[in-house]
Amino acid sequence: MLVSTRDLESRLADVRLILMDIDGTLVTSDRVTFDNVSNQLRRLKRHGVPFSVATGRSIAGALPVLERLRSVGTRMSPMINYNGGVLLSAQNLTLIDRHVLPRASFEKALSLCSDIGLWPIVY
C-alpha cells in the first residue's frame, strides 16, 4: 500500500521516538533487511522522527551496528544497552545513565542460582 506524503506526515505527527532491537530486527541473516531499515530510517529523518536502538547487547556488541547506522547517515537518540541497564549517547558514546543492582541483591541472586544448580552469565 502506497501512502501519500501528506498521509505519512499525519501518521507520524504523534510519534516521539522509534526504538528498534538489533538482533532479528536490524541484524538478520540477510543484508536486505538492514538496507531496507536504513532506507526507512532516512525517510523518518526527513519527517523529524527520532530513532534509536534498545538492545540486550553490551556497548561493545552494539558498536558494529551503530557504525553501520552512522555510515548511512543516521543520527540517533541515546541508545539503550544491557536490557535497559545503560543509557548511552549514540553520538559520542558517553554514559548518560546506568542502573545496577545493589551488591547484596546481586549476591543473593547468585546464591539462589547456585542453590538450584544454575550458573548464570553475569555482566
Coordinates of all heavy atoms in Angstrom, one line a residue, residues 15-109:
V15 N 4.4 10.6 16.7 CA 5.4 9.7 17.0 C 6.6 10.4 17.6 O 7.1 11.4 17.0 CB 5.9 8.9 15.8 CG1 7.1 8.0 16.1 CG2 4.8 8.1 15.2
R16 N 7.0 10.1 18.8 CA 8.0 10.8 19.5 C 9.4 10.2 19.4 O 10.4 10.8 19.4 CB 7.7 10.9 21.0 CG 6.5 11.8 21.2 CD 6.2 11.9 22.7 NE 5.0 12.7 22.9 CZ 4.8 13.4 23.9 NH1 5.7 13.5 24.9 NH2 3.7 14.1 24.1
L17 N 9.4 8.8 19.2 CA 10.6 8.1 19.1 C 10.4 6.7 18.6 O 9.4 6.1 19.1 CB 11.3 8.0 20.5 CG 12.6 7.2 20.6 CD1 13.8 7.8 19.8 CD2 13.0 7.0 22.0
I18 N 11.2 6.2 17.8 CA 11.1 4.8 17.3 C 12.4 4.1 17.9 O 13.5 4.5 17.6 CB 11.0 4.7 15.8 CG1 9.7 5.2 15.3 CG2 11.3 3.2 15.4 CD1 9.5 5.2 13.9
L19 N 12.1 3.0 18.6 CA 13.2 2.2 19.2 C 13.2 0.9 18.4 O 12.1 0.3 18.2 CB 13.0 1.9 20.7 CG 13.3 3.1 21.6 CD1 12.8 2.8 23.0 CD2 14.7 3.5 21.5
M20 N 14.4 0.4 18.1 CA 14.4 -0.9 17.4 C 15.5 -1.8 18.1 O 16.6 -1.3 18.5 CB 14.8 -0.6 16.0 CG 14.6 -1.7 15.0 SD 14.8 -1.2 13.3 CE 13.5 -0.1 13.1
D21 N 15.2 -3.1 18.2 CA 16.1 -4.0 18.7 C 17.2 -4.3 17.6 O 16.9 -4.0 16.4 CB 15.4 -5.3 19.0 CG 16.3 -6.4 19.7 OD1 17.3 -6.0 20.4 OD2 16.0 -7.6 19.6
I22 N 18.3 -4.9 17.9 CA 19.3 -5.2 16.9 C 19.1 -6.6 16.4 O 18.9 -6.8 15.2 CB 20.7 -5.1 17.6 CG1 21.0 -3.6 17.9 CG2 21.8 -5.7 16.6 CD1 22.4 -3.4 18.5
D23 N 19.2 -7.6 17.2 CA 19.2 -9.0 16.8 C 17.8 -9.4 16.3 O 16.8 -9.3 17.0 CB 19.6 -9.9 17.9 CG 21.1 -9.6 18.3 OD1 21.9 -9.6 17.3 OD2 21.4 -9.4 19.4
G24 N 17.7 -9.8 15.0 CA 16.4 -10.2 14.4 C 15.7 -9.1 13.8 O 14.6 -9.3 13.2
T25 N 16.1 -7.8 14.1 CA 15.4 -6.7 13.5 C 16.3 -5.9 12.6 O 16.1 -5.9 11.4 CB 14.9 -5.7 14.6 OG1 14.1 -6.5 15.5 CG2 14.1 -4.6 14.1
L26 N 17.4 -5.3 13.1 CA 18.4 -4.7 12.3 C 19.4 -5.7 11.7 O 19.8 -5.5 10.6 CB 19.2 -3.6 13.1 CG 18.4 -2.3 13.4 CD1 19.2 -1.5 14.4 CD2 18.2 -1.5 12.2
V27 N 19.7 -6.7 12.5 CA 20.7 -7.6 12.0 C 20.0 -9.0 11.9 O 19.5 -9.5 12.8 CB 21.8 -7.8 13.0 CG1 22.8 -8.9 12.6 CG2 22.6 -6.5 13.2
T28 N 19.9 -9.4 10.6 CA 19.3 -10.7 10.3 C 20.3 -11.5 9.5 O 21.5 -11.0 9.2 CB 18.0 -10.6 9.6 OG1 18.3 -9.9 8.3 CG2 17.0 -9.8 10.4
S29 N 19.9 -12.6 8.9 CA 20.8 -13.4 8.1 C 21.0 -12.8 6.7 O 21.8 -13.3 6.0 CB 20.3 -14.8 8.0 OG 19.0 -14.8 7.4
D30 N 20.2 -11.8 6.4 CA 20.4 -11.2 5.0 C 20.7 -9.7 5.1 O 20.3 -9.0 6.0 CB 19.2 -11.5 4.1 CG 17.9 -10.8 4.7 OD1 18.0 -10.0 5.6 OD2 16.9 -11.0 4.1
R31 N 21.4 -9.2 4.2 CA 21.8 -7.8 4.1 C 20.6 -6.9 3.7 O 20.5 -5.8 4.0 CB 23.0 -7.7 3.1 CG 23.3 -6.2 2.7 CD 24.2 -5.6 3.8 NE 24.4 -4.2 3.4 CZ 25.2 -3.4 4.1 NH1 25.8 -3.9 5.2 NH2 25.3 -2.2 3.7
V32 N 19.6 -7.5 3.0 CA 18.5 -6.8 2.5 C 17.7 -6.2 3.6 O 17.3 -5.0 3.5 CB 17.6 -7.8 1.7 CG1 16.3 -7.1 1.3 CG2 18.3 -8.3 0.5
T33 N 17.6 -6.8 4.8 CA 16.8 -6.3 5.9 C 17.5 -5.0 6.4 O 16.8 -4.0 6.6 CB 16.8 -7.3 7.1 OG1 16.1 -8.5 6.6 CG2 16.0 -6.8 8.2
F34 N 18.8 -5.0 6.6 CA 19.4 -3.8 7.1 C 19.3 -2.7 6.1 O 19.1 -1.5 6.4 CB 20.9 -4.1 7.4 CG 21.6 -2.9 8.0 CD1 21.5 -2.6 9.4 CD2 22.3 -2.0 7.2 CE1 22.1 -1.5 9.9 CE2 22.9 -0.9 7.7 CZ 22.8 -0.6 9.1
D35 N 19.5 -3.0 4.8 CA 19.4 -1.9 3.8 C 18.0 -1.4 3.8 O 17.8 -0.1 3.6 CB 19.7 -2.5 2.4 CG 21.2 -2.9 2.3 OD1 22.0 -2.4 3.1 OD2 21.5 -3.6 1.4
N36 N 16.9 -2.2 3.9 CA 15.6 -1.7 3.9 C 15.3 -0.8 5.1 O 14.7 0.2 5.0 CB 14.6 -2.9 3.9 CG 13.2 -2.4 3.9 OD1 12.8 -1.4 3.1 ND2 12.3 -3.0 4.6
V37 N 15.8 -1.3 6.3 CA 15.6 -0.5 7.5 C 16.3 0.9 7.4 O 15.8 1.9 7.7 CB 16.1 -1.3 8.8 CG1 16.2 -0.3 10.0 CG2 15.2 -2.4 9.0
S38 N 17.5 0.8 6.8 CA 18.3 2.1 6.6 C 17.5 3.1 5.7 O 17.5 4.3 6.0 CB 19.6 1.8 5.9 OG 20.4 1.0 6.8
N39 N 16.9 2.6 4.7 CA 16.1 3.4 3.8 C 14.9 4.0 4.5 O 14.6 5.2 4.4 CB 15.6 2.6 2.6 CG 16.8 2.3 1.6 OD1 17.7 3.0 1.5 ND2 16.6 1.2 0.9
Q40 N 14.3 3.2 5.4 CA 13.1 3.7 6.1 C 13.6 4.7 7.2 O 12.9 5.7 7.4 CB 12.4 2.5 6.8 CG 11.8 1.5 5.8 CD 11.0 2.1 4.7 OE1 10.2 3.0 5.0 NE2 11.2 1.7 3.5
L41 N 14.7 4.5 7.8 CA 15.2 5.5 8.7 C 15.5 6.8 8.1 O 15.3 7.9 8.7 CB 16.5 4.9 9.4 CG 16.2 3.8 10.4 CD1 17.6 3.2 10.9 CD2 15.3 4.1 11.5
R42 N 16.0 6.8 6.9 CA 16.3 8.1 6.1 C 14.9 8.8 5.9 O 14.9 10.0 6.0 CB 16.9 7.8 4.8 CG 18.4 7.5 4.9 CD 19.0 7.4 3.5 NE 20.3 6.7 3.6 CZ 20.4 5.4 3.2 NH1 19.4 4.7 2.7 NH2 21.6 4.8 3.3
R43 N 13.9 8.0 5.6 CA 12.6 8.6 5.4 C 12.1 9.3 6.7 O 11.5 10.4 6.7 CB 11.6 7.6 4.9 CG 11.8 7.2 3.5 CD 10.8 6.2 3.0 NE 9.5 6.8 2.9 CZ 8.4 6.2 2.8 NH1 8.3 4.9 2.9 NH2 7.2 6.8 2.6
L44 N 12.2 8.5 7.8 CA 11.8 9.1 9.1 C 12.5 10.3 9.4 O 12.0 11.3 10.0 CB 12.0 8.0 10.2 CG 11.1 6.8 10.2 CD1 11.6 5.8 11.2 CD2 9.7 7.2 10.4
K45 N 13.8 10.3 9.1 CA 14.7 11.5 9.4 C 14.1 12.8 8.7 O 14.1 13.8 9.3 CB 16.1 11.2 9.0 CG 17.1 12.4 9.3 CD 18.5 12.0 8.9 CE 19.4 13.1 9.2 NZ 20.8 12.8 8.7
R46 N 13.7 12.6 7.5 CA 13.1 13.7 6.7 C 11.9 14.2 7.3 O 11.5 15.4 7.2 CB 12.9 13.3 5.3 CG 14.1 13.1 4.4 CD 13.8 13.0 3.0 NE 12.9 11.8 2.6 CZ 13.3 10.7 2.2 NH1 14.6 10.5 2.0 NH2 12.5 9.7 1.9
H47 N 11.2 13.4 8.1 CA 10.0 13.8 8.8 C 10.2 14.2 10.3 O 9.2 14.4 11.0 CB 8.9 12.7 8.7 CG 8.5 12.5 7.3 ND1 7.6 13.3 6.6 CD2 8.8 11.6 6.4 CE1 7.4 12.9 5.4 NE2 8.1 11.9 5.2
G48 N 11.5 14.2 10.7 CA 11.8 14.6 12.0 C 11.5 13.6 13.1 O 11.3 14.0 14.3
V49 N 11.4 12.4 12.7 CA 11.1 11.3 13.7 C 12.4 10.7 14.2 O 13.2 10.2 13.5 CB 10.2 10.2 13.1 CG1 10.0 9.1 14.2 CG2 8.9 10.8 12.6
P50 N 12.7 10.9 15.5 CA 13.9 10.3 16.1 C 13.9 8.8 16.2 O 12.9 8.2 16.3 CB 14.1 11.0 17.4 CG 12.7 11.4 17.8 CD 11.9 11.6 16.5
F51 N 15.1 8.2 16.1 CA 15.3 6.8 16.1 C 16.4 6.4 17.0 O 17.4 7.2 17.2 CB 15.6 6.3 14.7 CG 16.2 4.9 14.7 CD1 15.4 3.8 14.8 CD2 17.6 4.8 14.6 CE1 16.0 2.6 14.8 CE2 18.2 3.5 14.6 CZ 17.3 2.4 14.7
S52 N 16.3 5.2 17.7 CA 17.4 4.7 18.4 C 17.3 3.2 18.6 O 16.3 2.6 18.1 CB 17.6 5.4 19.8 OG 18.8 5.0 20.3
V53 N 18.3 2.6 19.3 CA 18.4 1.2 19.5 C 18.1 0.9 20.9 O 18.7 1.6 21.8 CB 19.7 0.7 19.0 CG1 20.0 -0.7 19.4 CG2 19.9 0.9 17.5
A54 N 17.4 -0.2 21.2 CA 17.2 -0.7 22.5 C 17.6 -2.2 22.4 O 16.9 -2.9 21.7 CB 15.8 -0.5 23.0
T55 N 18.7 -2.6 23.1 CA 19.2 -3.9 22.9 C 19.7 -4.5 24.2 O 20.0 -3.8 25.2 CB 20.3 -3.9 21.9 OG1 20.8 -5.2 21.7 CG2 21.5 -3.0 22.3
G56 N 19.7 -5.8 24.2 CA 20.3 -6.5 25.4 C 21.9 -6.6 25.2 O 22.6 -7.0 26.1
R57 N 22.3 -6.2 24.0 CA 23.8 -6.3 23.8 C 24.6 -5.3 24.7 O 24.0 -4.3 25.1 CB 24.1 -5.9 22.3 CG 23.7 -7.0 21.3 CD 24.2 -6.6 20.0 NE 23.9 -7.5 18.9 CZ 24.5 -7.6 17.8 NH1 25.5 -6.7 17.5 NH2 24.2 -8.5 16.9
S58 N 25.8 -5.7 24.9 CA 26.7 -4.8 25.6 C 27.0 -3.6 24.6 O 26.7 -3.6 23.5 CB 28.0 -5.5 25.9 OG 28.7 -5.8 24.7
I59 N 27.7 -2.6 25.2 CA 28.1 -1.5 24.4 C 29.0 -1.9 23.2 O 28.8 -1.6 22.1 CB 28.8 -0.4 25.2 CG1 27.8 0.1 26.3 CG2 29.4 0.7 24.4 CD1 28.4 0.9 27.4
A60 N 30.0 -2.7 23.6 CA 30.9 -3.2 22.5 C 30.2 -4.1 21.5 O 30.5 -4.0 20.3 CB 32.0 -4.0 23.2
G61 N 29.2 -4.8 21.9 CA 28.4 -5.7 21.0 C 27.5 -4.9 20.1 O 27.2 -5.3 19.0
A62 N 27.1 -3.7 20.5 CA 26.2 -2.8 19.7 C 27.0 -1.9 18.8 O 26.5 -1.4 17.8 CB 25.3 -2.0 20.6
L63 N 28.3 -1.7 19.0 CA 29.1 -0.7 18.3 C 29.2 -1.0 16.8 O 29.0 -0.1 15.9 CB 30.5 -0.6 18.8 CG 30.6 0.2 20.1 CD1 32.0 0.3 20.6 CD2 30.0 1.6 19.9
P64 N 29.3 -2.3 16.3 CA 29.4 -2.5 14.9 C 28.1 -2.1 14.2 O 28.1 -1.5 13.1 CB 29.6 -4.0 14.7 CG 30.2 -4.4 16.0 CD 29.6 -3.5 17.1
V65 N 26.9 -2.3 14.8 CA 25.7 -1.9 14.2 C 25.5 -0.4 14.2 O 25.1 0.3 13.3 CB 24.5 -2.5 15.0 CG1 23.1 -2.0 14.5 CG2 24.6 -4.0 14.9
L66 N 26.0 0.3 15.3 CA 26.0 1.7 15.4 C 26.8 2.3 14.3 O 26.4 3.3 13.6 CB 26.5 2.2 16.8 CG 26.7 3.7 17.0 CD1 25.3 4.4 16.8 CD2 27.3 4.0 18.3
E67 N 28.0 1.7 14.0 CA 28.9 2.2 12.9 C 28.2 2.0 11.6 O 28.3 2.9 10.7 CB 30.2 1.5 12.9 CG 31.1 1.8 14.1 CD 31.3 3.3 14.2 OE1 31.6 4.0 13.2 OE2 31.2 3.9 15.4
R68 N 27.5 0.9 11.4 CA 26.7 0.8 10.1 C 25.6 1.8 10.0 O 25.4 2.3 8.9 CB 26.1 -0.6 10.0 CG 27.2 -1.7 9.8 CD 26.6 -3.1 9.8 NE 25.7 -3.3 8.6 CZ 24.9 -4.4 8.5 NH1 24.9 -5.3 9.5 NH2 24.1 -4.5 7.5
L69 N 25.0 2.1 11.1 CA 23.9 3.1 11.0 C 24.5 4.5 10.7 O 24.0 5.3 10.0 CB 23.1 3.1 12.3 CG 22.2 1.9 12.5 CD1 21.7 1.9 13.9 CD2 21.1 1.9 11.5
R70 N 25.6 4.8 11.3 CA 26.3 6.1 11.1 C 26.7 6.2 9.6 O 26.7 7.2 9.0 CB 27.5 6.2 12.0 CG 27.2 6.6 13.4 CD 28.5 6.7 14.2 NE 28.2 7.1 15.5 CZ 29.1 7.0 16.5 NH1 30.3 6.6 16.3 NH2 28.8 7.4 17.7
S71 N 27.1 5.0 9.0 CA 27.6 5.0 7.6 C 26.5 5.4 6.6 O 26.8 5.8 5.5 CB 28.3 3.7 7.2 OG 27.3 2.7 7.1
V72 N 25.3 5.2 7.0 CA 24.2 5.6 6.2 C 23.6 7.0 6.6 O 22.5 7.4 6.1 CB 23.1 4.5 6.1 CG1 23.6 3.3 5.5 CG2 22.5 4.3 7.4
G73 N 24.2 7.6 7.5 CA 23.8 9.0 7.9 C 22.8 9.1 8.9 O 22.1 10.1 9.1
T74 N 22.6 8.0 9.7 CA 21.6 8.0 10.8 C 22.2 8.7 12.0 O 23.2 8.4 12.5 CB 21.2 6.6 11.1 OG1 20.7 6.0 9.9 CG2 20.1 6.6 12.2
R75 N 21.4 9.7 12.5 CA 21.8 10.4 13.7 C 20.8 9.9 14.8 O 19.6 10.1 14.6 CB 21.7 11.9 13.6 CG 22.1 12.6 14.9 CD 22.2 14.1 14.6 NE 22.3 14.8 15.9 CZ 23.5 15.0 16.5 NH1 24.6 14.6 16.0 NH2 23.5 15.7 17.7
M76 N 21.3 9.2 15.8 CA 20.4 8.5 16.7 C 20.3 9.2 18.0 O 21.2 9.9 18.5 CB 20.9 7.1 17.0 CG 20.9 6.2 15.8 SD 21.6 4.6 16.0 CE 21.5 4.2 17.7
S77 N 19.1 9.0 18.6 CA 18.9 9.5 20.0 C 19.7 8.5 20.9 O 20.3 7.5 20.4 CB 17.4 9.3 20.4 OG 16.7 10.3 19.6
P78 N 19.8 8.8 22.2 CA 20.6 7.9 23.1 C 20.1 6.4 22.9 O 19.0 6.1 22.7 CB 20.3 8.4 24.5 CG 20.0 9.8 24.3 CD 19.3 9.9 23.0
M79 N 21.1 5.5 23.0 CA 20.9 4.1 22.9 C 20.7 3.4 24.3 O 21.3 3.9 25.3 CB 22.1 3.4 22.3 CG 22.5 3.8 21.0 SD 24.0 3.0 20.4 CE 24.2 1.5 21.2
I80 N 19.9 2.4 24.3 CA 19.6 1.6 25.5 C 20.4 0.3 25.3 O 20.2 -0.4 24.3 CB 18.1 1.3 25.7 CG1 17.4 2.7 25.9 CG2 17.9 0.4 26.9 CD1 15.9 2.5 25.8
N81 N 21.3 0.0 26.2 CA 22.1 -1.3 26.2 C 21.9 -2.1 27.4 O 21.3 -1.6 28.4 CB 23.6 -0.9 26.0 CG 23.9 -0.2 24.8 OD1 23.8 1.0 24.7 ND2 24.3 -1.0 23.7
Y82 N 22.4 -3.3 27.4 CA 22.3 -4.2 28.6 C 20.9 -4.3 29.1 O 20.6 -4.2 30.3 CB 23.2 -3.7 29.7 CG 24.7 -3.7 29.5 CD1 25.4 -2.6 29.2 CD2 25.4 -4.9 29.5 CE1 26.7 -2.6 28.9 CE2 26.7 -5.0 29.3 CZ 27.4 -3.8 29.0 OH 28.8 -3.8 28.8
N83 N 19.9 -4.5 28.2 CA 18.5 -4.7 28.5 C 18.0 -3.6 29.5 O 17.2 -3.8 30.4 CB 18.3 -6.0 29.2 CG 18.4 -7.1 28.2 OD1 17.9 -7.0 27.1 ND2 19.0 -8.2 28.6
G84 N 18.4 -2.3 29.2 CA 17.9 -1.2 30.0 C 18.8 -0.8 31.1 O 18.6 0.2 31.8
G85 N 19.9 -1.4 31.3 CA 20.9 -1.1 32.3 C 21.7 0.1 32.0 O 22.2 0.7 33.0
V86 N 21.9 0.5 30.8 CA 22.8 1.6 30.4 C 22.1 2.4 29.3 O 21.5 1.9 28.4 CB 24.1 1.0 29.8 CG1 24.9 2.1 29.2 CG2 24.9 0.3 30.9
L87 N 22.1 3.7 29.5 CA 21.7 4.7 28.5 C 23.0 5.4 28.1 O 23.7 6.0 28.9 CB 20.7 5.7 29.1 CG 20.1 6.7 28.2 CD1 19.3 6.0 27.1 CD2 19.2 7.7 28.9
L88 N 23.2 5.4 26.7 CA 24.5 5.8 26.2 C 24.2 6.8 25.0 O 23.3 6.6 24.2 CB 25.2 4.6 25.7 CG 26.6 4.8 25.1 CD1 27.6 5.0 26.3 CD2 27.0 3.5 24.3
S89 N 25.0 7.8 25.0 CA 24.9 8.8 23.8 C 25.4 8.0 22.6 O 26.5 7.5 22.6 CB 25.8 10.0 24.1 OG 25.9 10.7 22.9
A90 N 24.6 8.0 21.6 CA 25.0 7.3 20.3 C 25.9 8.2 19.5 O 26.6 7.7 18.6 CB 23.7 7.0 19.5
Q91 N 26.0 9.5 19.9 CA 26.8 10.4 19.1 C 28.3 10.3 19.5 O 29.2 10.3 18.7 CB 26.3 11.8 19.3 CG 24.9 12.0 18.9 CD 24.5 11.3 17.6 OE1 25.1 11.5 16.6 NE2 23.4 10.6 17.7
N92 N 28.5 10.3 20.8 CA 29.9 10.3 21.3 C 30.2 9.2 22.3 O 31.3 9.2 22.9 CB 30.3 11.7 21.9 CG 29.4 12.0 23.1 OD1 28.7 11.2 23.7 ND2 29.4 13.3 23.4
L93 N 29.3 8.3 22.5 CA 29.5 7.1 23.3 C 29.7 7.4 24.8 O 30.4 6.6 25.5 CB 30.6 6.2 22.8 CG 30.4 5.7 21.4 CD1 31.6 4.8 21.0 CD2 29.1 5.0 21.2
T94 N 29.2 8.5 25.3 CA 29.4 8.9 26.7 C 28.2 8.3 27.4 O 27.1 8.2 26.9 CB 29.4 10.4 26.9 OG1 28.2 11.0 26.4 CG2 30.7 11.0 26.3
L95 N 28.5 7.9 28.6 CA 27.5 7.3 29.5 C 26.5 8.4 30.0 O 26.9 9.4 30.5 CB 28.1 6.6 30.7 CG 27.3 5.9 31.7 CD1 26.6 4.7 31.1 CD2 28.0 5.5 32.9
I96 N 25.2 8.2 29.8 CA 24.2 9.1 30.3 C 23.7 8.7 31.6 O 23.5 9.5 32.5 CB 23.1 9.3 29.2 CG1 23.6 9.9 27.9 CG2 21.9 10.1 29.8 CD1 22.7 9.9 26.8
D97 N 23.4 7.4 31.7 CA 22.8 6.8 33.0 C 23.0 5.3 33.0 O 23.2 4.7 31.9 CB 21.3 7.2 33.0 CG 20.8 7.0 34.4 OD1 21.5 6.8 35.4 OD2 19.5 7.1 34.6
R98 N 23.1 4.8 34.2 CA 23.2 3.3 34.3 C 22.5 2.9 35.5 O 22.4 3.7 36.5 CB 24.6 2.8 34.3 CG 25.4 3.1 35.5 CD 26.8 2.6 35.4 NE 27.4 2.9 36.7 CZ 28.4 2.2 37.2 NH1 28.9 1.2 36.6 NH2 28.9 2.6 38.3
H99 N 22.0 1.7 35.5 CA 21.2 1.1 36.6 C 21.9 -0.2 37.0 O 22.0 -1.1 36.1 CB 19.8 0.9 36.3 CG 19.1 2.2 35.9 ND1 18.6 3.1 36.8 CD2 18.8 2.7 34.7 CE1 18.0 4.1 36.2 NE2 18.2 3.9 34.9
V100 N 22.3 -0.3 38.2 CA 22.9 -1.6 38.6 C 22.2 -2.1 39.9 O 21.6 -1.3 40.6 CB 24.4 -1.4 38.9 CG1 25.2 -1.0 37.7 CG2 24.7 -0.4 40.0
L101 N 22.2 -3.4 40.0 CA 21.7 -4.0 41.2 C 22.5 -3.7 42.4 O 23.8 -3.7 42.3 CB 21.6 -5.5 41.1 CG 20.6 -6.1 40.2 CD1 20.8 -7.6 40.0 CD2 19.2 -5.8 40.6
P102 N 22.0 -3.5 43.6 CA 22.8 -3.3 44.8 C 23.6 -4.6 45.0 O 23.1 -5.7 44.7 CB 21.8 -3.1 45.9 CG 20.5 -2.6 45.2 CD 20.5 -3.3 43.9
R103 N 24.8 -4.5 45.5 CA 25.6 -5.7 45.6 C 25.0 -6.8 46.4 O 25.0 -8.0 46.1 CB 27.0 -5.3 46.3 CG 27.9 -6.5 46.4 CD 29.3 -6.0 46.8 NE 30.2 -7.1 46.7 CZ 31.0 -7.4 45.6 NH1 30.9 -6.7 44.5 NH2 31.8 -8.4 45.6
A104 N 24.3 -6.5 47.5 CA 23.6 -7.5 48.3 C 22.6 -8.3 47.5 O 22.4 -9.5 47.6 CB 23.0 -6.9 49.5
S105 N 21.8 -7.6 46.6 CA 20.8 -8.2 45.8 C 21.5 -9.1 44.8 O 21.0 -10.2 44.5 CB 19.9 -7.2 45.1 OG 19.2 -6.4 46.0
F106 N 22.5 -8.6 44.2 CA 23.3 -9.4 43.2 C 23.8 -10.7 43.9 O 23.7 -11.8 43.3 CB 24.5 -8.6 42.7 CG 25.4 -9.3 41.8 CD1 25.1 -9.6 40.5 CD2 26.7 -9.7 42.3 CE1 25.9 -10.3 39.7 CE2 27.5 -10.4 41.5 CZ 27.2 -10.7 40.2
E107 N 24.4 -10.6 45.0 CA 25.0 -11.8 45.7 C 23.9 -12.8 46.1 O 24.1 -14.0 46.0 CB 25.8 -11.4 46.9 CG 27.1 -10.7 46.5 CD 27.9 -10.1 47.7 OE1 27.4 -10.0 48.8 OE2 29.1 -9.7 47.4
K108 N 22.7 -12.3 46.5 CA 21.6 -13.1 46.9 C 21.1 -13.9 45.6 O 20.9 -15.1 45.7 CB 20.5 -12.3 47.5 CG 19.3 -13.2 47.9 CD 18.3 -12.4 48.6 CE 17.2 -13.4 49.1 NZ 16.2 -12.7 49.9
A109 N 21.0 -13.2 44.5 CA 20.6 -13.8 43.2 C 21.6 -14.9 42.8 O 21.2 -16.0 42.5 CB 20.4 -12.8 42.1

